[in-house]
Amino acid sequence: AVFGLVPEPGKDSETCSYLGQFKTEQLCRLAALRDAGMWAYAWHDPAVVTGGFAGGCYGRRDLHGSRDFTKQDGIMSAIFARSNGWQEVTDWDISSYVTTQHRCAGAECEYFDSEAEKSIMNVSVEQMEQKIGNDASSLSLRIYLVDFAMNVLPVESVTSSGMNSIMRTAYPGTLRLGQKPGYCEQDYDENK
């Protein structure tokens, strides 16, 4: 978020404000959230980044700057939502709201379905994108394939469709994104 925008550690620039030294990303994020002028932040993990930038927290305040961030080891950064304020969504179990159904028990019949069909999930949550409050592309969807395996898919978009919402992932899952396939409901006893 601040690559090449800060002249030296601990200093402000035309586009960034130095917010202080912090031991965790969460403390940096909270500092950036307290300043209404910030639209993004970057924290330099002292376990990875050495020298003057270690632990440094910087907030972006320019309104016309690039939103294409250079990936760097040890730098944690994020963009805040433009409307409704930013909110932390670390864990929201939406499984009981999923209305997409698998076509067959076990769902093996879906393995060769199109990528488009395996990238969409219908959810009975009205205006879900507003309830999330964050840019959908900052989210990940954890899909349990069976009781012992899962996929984590980046979310591409969340849109409303009447009383429901449609969640689209950036790339397809192995099967359709829906309620548990039939074999997940079976009890498995490992002779325990």
Side-chain angles (χ1 to χ4, degrees), residues 2 9 13-14 24 27 37 41 52 61 92 96 102 127 145-146 149 153 158:
V2 299
S13 70
E14 288 180 4
T24 66
L27 293 173
Y41 72 96
R61 56 182 154 67
W92 182 14
S96 62
H102 289 285
Q127 301 293 320
L145 303 172
V146 292
L153 302 174
V158 178

Side-chain angles (χ1 to χ4, degrees), residues 144-183:
Y144 290 92
L145 303 172
V146 292
D147 293 335
F148 50 86
M150 72 173 183
N151 273 351
V152 177
L153 302 174
V155 174
E156 181 178 279
S157 65
V158 178
T159 55
S160 291
S161 176
M163 299 294 288
N164 295 312
S165 296
I166 299 170
M167 183 175 286
R168 183 179 308 277
T169 57
Y171 55 86
T174 307
L175 307 170
R176 289 186 183 207
L177 307 177
Q179 295 182 346
K180 290 181 182 178
Y183 56 79

